[in-house]
Every structure is written in structure tokens, then in C-alpha cells.
Amino acid sequence: MMCDIDKVREMFRNDRYATESGAVIDEIDDHYAKVSLTITEHHKNAVGGVMGGVYFTLADFAFAVASNWQIAGTVSINSDISFIGVPKSDRIIAETQLVKNGRSTCCYNVSVTDDLENPVAMVKIIGFHKR
């Protein structure tokens, strides 16, 4: 599917929590998105690790882009995150995979890795089509 990614980035620029946290849209395709974030001191917790909410925010943003850039109106109704590793680099990437797209609900798996492909988190998100 061909689309101007700059138009999609403009569409999601008001998703301010994610974008002001540093999340950027890298790739899009049919019910797919790849987003990334460069980790800074702003993203770290009191003991120097990355705050879990950073991983969740990036995964949630990937879901939002993948499920809404073609037809807006899908919201998350349930999310389940498992933290499975720590990044070995300063860039993390969330990549979506559509599992099922039904009439009123959908299911996506989102993998979060560092840019060396080390797994960091896995997220399952159930969405509801409000449209």
C-alpha cells in the first residue's frame, strides 16, 4: 500500500504524549506501523533503567497508527504488556502485527526491541472500532 508517510505523521502530530516523548513514525503499511524512540535521561527511572511506561507508550502509539491511519476511529479497550528484556542501545522500536480485524474489534501484537533487535517487551492490544 502506497501512502505519503509525511501525511500520516501530520495526522498523528497531535498525539502529543507520544510525539512529545520522542516517538516517531518510521514505516506504515496495511494495518501496520513501525515507530521508534531515542532513549534520553528523560525516559529513565530512579535507578537508571527505562521507565516501563516508555515501552507501553511506544507500543500504544504503534497500535494507534496501524489501526487508524487508513480509517480513523479505533481505540484500545485492553492491553497486556510483558517486559522481557532491557535495551542494549539507545533506540527502541515498536512494530505491530495485525492478528484479527473483525467488524467491531481487532487484535494486534506489538513487539518492542532495541535497534540491535534485542527483545524488550511484547504487547497484545485489543481495539474497538468506534466508526
Side-chain angles (χ1 to χ4, degrees):
M1 168 155 302
M2 297 299 289
C3 180
D4 182 354
I5 195 165
D6 290 327
K7 289 181 182 175
V8 175
R9 288 177 178 139
E10 179 64 22
M11 176 181 172
F12 285 93
R13 105 181 136 79
N14 285 329
D15 199 337
R16 295 182 57 189
Y17 187 79
T19 58
E20 291 179 13
S21 293
V24 296
I25 301 169
D26 297 322
E27 296 177 26
I28 52 170
D29 204 341
D30 188 31
H31 298 284
Y32 168 86
K34 183 176 184 181
V35 301
S36 64
L37 178 144
T38 299
I39 298 166
T40 67
E41 289 301 311
H42 174 77
H43 299 107
K44 295 189 177 176
N45 60 25
V47 295
V50 177
M51 181 68 88
V54 175
Y55 304 129
F56 183 80
T57 295
L58 194 63
D60 188 54
F61 186 55
F63 162 78
V65 174
S67 64
N68 284 289
W69 78 264
Q70 292 164 297
I71 301 172
T74 299
V75 296
S76 171
I77 57 174
N78 188 65
S79 300
D80 180 35
I81 187 167
S82 296
F83 302 103
I84 57 175
V86 295
K88 310 277 191 283
S89 65
D90 66 353
R91 184 167 170 260
I92 55 173
I93 300 157
E95 191 168 7
T96 59
Q97 195 69 33
L98 176 67
V99 175
K100 169 100 167 99
N101 193 30
R103 184 174 43 85
S104 60
T105 62
C106 59
C107 179
Y108 283 81
N109 283 332
V110 185
S111 64
V112 182
T113 64
D114 64 16
D115 60 0
L116 303 172
E117 299 184 5
N118 295 303
V120 175
M122 292 298 299
V123 186
K124 180 177 79 174
I125 301 177
I126 306 297
F128 175 72
H129 303 305
K130 294 181 1 176
R131 48 186 185 261

